[in-house]
Amino acid sequence: MTIDQWHAALREVTGVTGVLGALIVSAEDGLVVAETAMEELATADVAALAAALVMRVARCTSAMDAGLPQTAYLVGDRGALLAVAGPAPLWLVAVARNDGELGRLRLLMRDFADVLR
Amino acid sequence: MTDDPFAGAPDAPPQGLAFLELGERLRQRGQHAAAATVALSGLAHYPTVADAHDLLARVRADQGDDSAASRAWYAALECDPDHVGARKGLAFVAFRSRDFAAAERHLDIAAMQAPHDITILNALDRLRGLQPARAPVGTVRLTDPAGGVLLFDMQGMRLAGSVREVADVSLADAAAAEGAGLVREAARVARMLDLGTVRHVVMETADAKIAMLPVSRDGALLIYRSSATPLGRLLGLAGDAARAARDWMGSSS
């Protein structure tokens, strides 16, 4: 995929109801590779925090002898962060309100992550 | 020489692992006593062969002795924790006693070992169709070592349950330690991104779906299921497990 195609994919993710923003993040250093988000979302913070969470999740699945994580979803009572693995070390990350269409968002992100690979 | 290829076979010493095929053929012909003798004779020589315990278990199950069958299948799992046949057998015994939750759990583990075995996936679907969408709280057994439910405290110490097998205490301890770290990280992320109080974190790998959810200020759970488990069902189980955990922590404190 080209950078333009990445942005098109991110815009489609951001079009899902309740999604505040979508990013492609490098899990190694927590930096934003590409992004489409509302102004209120601090994407640099999201990238760093998502990378930290993904690393923690990887340690947890490794400790459980369950292999490498392909997805990680953090759901709170006000919102959610969804992360889907792309080609290492990239992860597709989205932040959504808790009234968002999380099921559709999950499937869409998985589709895009497959294409990214 | 006799026309019966199996005549006298039960008393003969086993030659290699050929007794497995012989015992299975006897079992399929309904000669359960002879099949049991062959299996026991084989086990006397090969006590660490999981398939031999599996054979004995299937014979005992055919004889209607589910207790003995379960013991033999658990013995098979001690020899080979990944023995799919033993898991299927334990699921069958649990199903026959209408313990659908245990049957699902064993099939779930079998699905982790053989994710492309369509017979296991079909059995799981049929089994889930027999149960309410959300299993009642009583079916969550925190102390069941094969329950796939691990309760730990915020210092990363295991309180109850296990990730997979009773023998995997070190695996459960490691998971508890990392689980506590995940709880802290999730809380930090949720606080900094204004996501509110953490309800759960779901992790998916090629083989498993895992949910982590805090159950109180002092403890959290990890729920481990195969990748074949529907996400909504995993979260339903997680909610039930959280209630059971709160009860357990209340009663144990």
Side-chain angles (χ1 to χ4, degrees), chain B residues 10 15 37 48 66 78 95 99 108 140 238 243 247:
Chain B
Q15 297 176 347
T37 304
T48 59
D66 285 357
E78 283 182 17
F95 179 82
D99 187 348
D108 219 22
V140 176
R243 282 188 285 278
D247 291 345

Side-chain angles (χ1 to χ4, degrees), chain B residues 131-157:
Chain B
Q131 302 175 83
R134 304 220 164 194
V137 171
T139 60
V140 176
R141 301 182 191 117
L142 290 172
T143 52
D144 180 358
V149 178
L150 174 66
L151 177 64
F152 53 92
D153 67 19
M154 289 303 100
Q155 282 70 51
M157 302 295 181

Side-chain angles (χ1 to χ4, degrees), chain A residues 20 73-82 95-100 102, chain B residues 186-187 189-201 212-214 246:
Chain A
L20 301 174
Y73 313 128
L74 163 58
V75 177
D77 56 12
R78 284 205 294 274
L81 182 146
L82 287 77
V95 178
R97 296 193 308 264
N98 67 342
D99 60 349
L102 296 187
Chain B
V189 172
R191 187 176 65 251
M192 297 189 72
L193 294 181
D194 194 27
L195 302 178
T197 305
V198 175
R199 289 183 183 165
H200 56 255
V201 174
M212 181 286 291
L213 67 167
R246 289 187 198 102

Side-chain angles (χ1 to χ4, degrees), chain A residues 69-72 83-88 90-92 109-110 113-114 116-117:
Chain A
Q70 296 174 337
T71 64
V84 179
L90 301 182
W91 282 68
L92 180 58
M109 289 179 66
R110 286 170 59 145
D114 285 343
L116 277 175
R117 291 187 195 116

Side-chain angles (χ1 to χ4, degrees), chain A:
Chain A
M1 277 182 102
T2 65
I3 291 288
D4 286 346
Q5 287 171 316
W6 284 11
H7 278 108
L10 291 175
R11 277 195 297 276
E12 192 167 343
V13 171
T14 313
V16 175
T17 303
V19 174
L20 301 174
L23 308 80
I24 294 172
V25 169
S26 168
E28 282 182 350
D29 49 21
L31 296 178
V32 178
V33 176
E35 63 176 85
T36 302
M38 293 181 178
E39 282 186 12
E40 68 199 67
L41 192 68
T43 51
D45 291 353
V46 173
L49 291 166
L53 183 71
V54 161
M55 289 300 181
R56 270 290 177 187
V57 163
R59 287 174 61 170
C60 197
T61 58
S62 173
M64 298 175 88
D65 200 17
L68 292 172
Q70 296 174 337
T71 64
Y73 313 128
L74 163 58
V75 177
D77 56 12
R78 284 205 294 274
L81 182 146
L82 287 77
V84 179
L90 301 182
W91 282 68
L92 180 58
V93 175
V95 178
R97 296 193 308 264
N98 67 342
D99 60 349
E101 294 182 80
L102 296 187
R104 184 167 160 244
L105 176 60
R106 170 177 173 253
L107 294 180
L108 195 59
M109 289 179 66
R110 286 170 59 145
D111 287 347
F112 284 141
D114 285 343
V115 175
L116 277 175
R117 291 187 195 116

Side-chain angles (χ1 to χ4, degrees), chain B residues 75-165:
Chain B
L77 289 176
E78 283 182 17
C79 301
D80 176 8
D82 296 337
H83 198 281
V84 173
R87 285 293 174 193
K88 290 164 86 170
L90 287 166
F92 169 75
V93 169
F95 179 82
R96 197 146 73 175
S97 65
R98 303 192 66 77
D99 187 348
F100 296 147
E104 180 179 350
R105 177 64 192 139
H106 286 300
L107 283 177
D108 219 22
I109 297 173
M112 290 182 213
Q113 309 302 338
H116 304 298
D117 186 332
I118 197 71
T119 65
I120 296 173
L121 300 179
N122 285 341
L124 266 171
D125 281 345
R126 284 199 303 275
L127 191 61
R128 286 170 180 150
L130 293 172
Q131 302 175 83
R134 304 220 164 194
V137 171
T139 60
V140 176
R141 301 182 191 117
L142 290 172
T143 52
D144 180 358
V149 178
L150 174 66
L151 177 64
F152 53 92
D153 67 19
M154 289 303 100
Q155 282 70 51
M157 302 295 181
R158 185 168 60 95
L159 293 172
S162 183
V163 177
R164 291 181 182 175
E165 307 297 335

